[in-house]
Amino acid sequence: AVMEQKTGNQRYCRKCLTRDMIGKEEYFRSLREYIANLDPDIKADEALYEERLAACKECDLLLEGMCRICGCYVELRAVVAKNICPRKKW
């Protein structure tokens, strides 16, 4: 389940990936374009990528698409096959 917190008049999603954030599509468009155009030789296959993202979405340290351990956008880290999770969850 998605956990939302309210800050003033805005809501932000603690457990969302950037691709799930409503209203920020344009802001993260370049991130998604980068992922889509990444060299297939270094890219994780789709099943592995989705498995990694599922693990990230369950992690306490995901905040607005970012890992609070390393500061990366998890979608960028997870898409590169050789990368690992800083908490060794994948």
Side-chain angles (χ1 to χ4, degrees):
V2 173
M3 296 170 39
E4 290 185 354
Q5 289 194 351
K6 193 166 184 163
T7 57
N9 291 333
Q10 294 186 344
R11 291 180 161 214
Y12 66 93
C13 180
R14 297 184 56 83
K15 298 298 241 176
C16 284
L17 301 171
T18 60
R19 68 184 181 187
D20 301 328
M21 291 184 196
I22 296 168
K24 296 198 178 196
E25 296 89 355
E26 187 63 27
Y27 183 76
F28 291 113
R29 183 173 50 86
S30 63
L31 181 145
R32 286 189 289 281
E33 286 175 0
Y34 174 82
I35 290 170
N37 294 311
L38 194 61
D39 186 335
D41 292 337
I42 64 170
K43 200 172 188 178
D45 67 53
E46 190 66 25
L48 177 60
Y49 180 58
E50 292 300 327
E51 181 180 312
R52 289 174 170 186
L53 293 181
C56 291
K57 285 184 80 168
E58 295 297 317
C59 184
D60 306 8
L61 298 171
L62 177 66
L63 179 62
E64 296 186 345
M66 293 180 68
C67 172
R68 292 190 296 162
I69 288 183
C70 68
C72 76
Y73 282 110
V74 298
E75 287 146 297
L76 290 177
R77 179 180 287 273
V79 75
V80 177
K82 70 175 183 155
N83 285 350
I84 61 169
C85 167
R87 291 183 80 190
K88 313 257 188 290
K89 291 188 174 213
W90 47 263

